[in-house]
């Protein structure tokens, strides 16, 4: 059976890598299954935020031919038939009418790659305008960054300390926050710091005058992210 958690973790790692490397100066190729249209939409949003064009190249093949090719691969590099069937069943075919799947280049095994068209779609096309929410706004106070860094780090420290004696299902009270952190599992320092960095990046784009709200907002963000 496909392990949904492993799949989710793999997609999350790929998306994070794209987010780190995406820029207007480099060509980035994500050579992966990308078979879920919602995931392709998330990748499209990253390109919008970076104000860089993107393109989707769909390598289309008959499932029977794919199965034959799979049989000829080594055991280490091949899928089991059960997993291959599940991937075929769950594959959501790209649709050029969807903005996150456009421009779309569908390539069959015997086709020549349309190099010029792909190149033009990346280098001769204007990038999509970013959403207003992804455009960084000026910081609302000189103290904001300091408070954002301090408060979020304090929350992380409280969680790490609480985990020494807590069990899954416990709720951790956070100073100066109305809501509690719900610990459904043991959360590593690396995971907490990664979530903290994501929250800080988001919050920098949406600064606030009332820094007393940061703690509660970070707790809410954690509860959605570390399940």
């Amino acid at each position: 059976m496909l392990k949904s958690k492993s799949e989710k973790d793999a997609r999350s790692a790929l998306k994070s890598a794209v987010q780190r490397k995406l820029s207007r100066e480099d060509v980035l190729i994500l050579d992966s299954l990308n078979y879920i249209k919602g995931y392709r939409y998330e990748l499209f949003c990253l390109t919008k935020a970076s104000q860089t064009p993107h393109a989707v190249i769909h390598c289309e093949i008959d499932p029977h031919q794919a199965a034959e090719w799979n049989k000829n691969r080594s055991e280490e590099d091949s899928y089991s038939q059960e997993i291959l069937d599940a991937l075929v069943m769950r594959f959501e075919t790209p649709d050029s009418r969807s903005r996150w799947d456009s421009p779309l280049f569908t390539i069959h095994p015997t086709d020549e790659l349309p190099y010029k068209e792909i190149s033009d779609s990346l280098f001769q096309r204007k990038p999509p305008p970013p959403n207003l929410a992804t455009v960084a706004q000026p910081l609302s106070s000189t103290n904001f960054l300091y408070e954002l860094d301090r408060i979020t780090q304090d929350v992380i420290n409280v969680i790490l300390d609480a985990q020494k004696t807590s069990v899954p299902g416990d709720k951790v009270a956070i100073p100066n926050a109305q809501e509690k952190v719900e610990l459904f599992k043991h959360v590593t320092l690396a995971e907490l710091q990664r979530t903290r960095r994501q929250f800080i990046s988001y919050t920098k784009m949406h600064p606030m005058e009332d820094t007393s709200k940061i703690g509660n907002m970070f707790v809410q963000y954690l509860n959605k992210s570390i399940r």
Side-chain angles (χ1 to χ4, degrees), residues 2-3 7 31 33 35-36 40 44 66 74 94 107 110 115 118 122 128 131 151 187 226:
L2 286 170
K3 297 181 179 179
E7 278 191 286
D31 184 7
L33 294 177
Y35 58 90
I36 299 174
R40 297 198 297 271
F44 167 72
S74 67
I107 311 297
T110 58
Y115 295 105
I118 294 173
L122 296 174
N131 295 329
I151 293 171
V187 189
I226 61 175

Side-chain angles (χ1 to χ4, degrees), residues 32-122:
S32 184
L33 294 177
N34 303 329
Y35 58 90
I36 299 174
K37 63 182 178 182
Y39 184 61
R40 297 198 297 271
Y41 174 75
E42 292 177 13
L43 296 172
F44 167 72
C45 289
L46 292 181
T47 65
K48 285 193 69 176
S50 298
Q51 293 184 271
T52 181
H54 89 298
V56 175
I57 300 178
H58 173 208
C59 301
E60 188 170 51
I61 185 173
D62 180 88
H64 298 293
Q65 186 175 0
E68 287 301 316
W69 284 7
N70 184 62
K71 289 179 182 177
N72 293 328
R73 303 177 75 180
S74 67
E75 184 176 348
E76 181 180 350
D77 293 330
S78 63
Y79 293 108
S80 69
Q81 189 61 47
E82 181 183 17
I83 289 179
L84 190 63
D85 290 342
L87 289 172
V88 170
M89 181 181 67
R90 295 166 57 185
F91 184 78
E92 296 178 307
T93 304
D95 184 345
S96 61
R97 293 171 296 182
S98 301
R99 61 189 186 280
W100 54 88
D101 285 335
S102 179
L104 172 64
F105 300 92
T106 299
I107 311 297
H108 299 92
T110 58
D111 289 347
E112 289 283 340
L113 274 176
Y115 295 105
K116 185 178 187 307
E117 290 80 359
I118 294 173
S119 175
D120 287 348
S121 73
L122 296 174

Side-chain angles (χ1 to χ4, degrees), residues 159 162-172 181-187 226-227:
I159 294 172
Q163 285 192 140
K164 295 175 182 177
T165 56
S166 66
V167 296
D170 282 356
K171 295 184 178 182
V172 179
V181 173
E182 301 174 22
L183 294 176
F184 293 98
K185 61 176 183 177
H186 179 83
V187 189
I226 61 175
R227 290 179 177 274

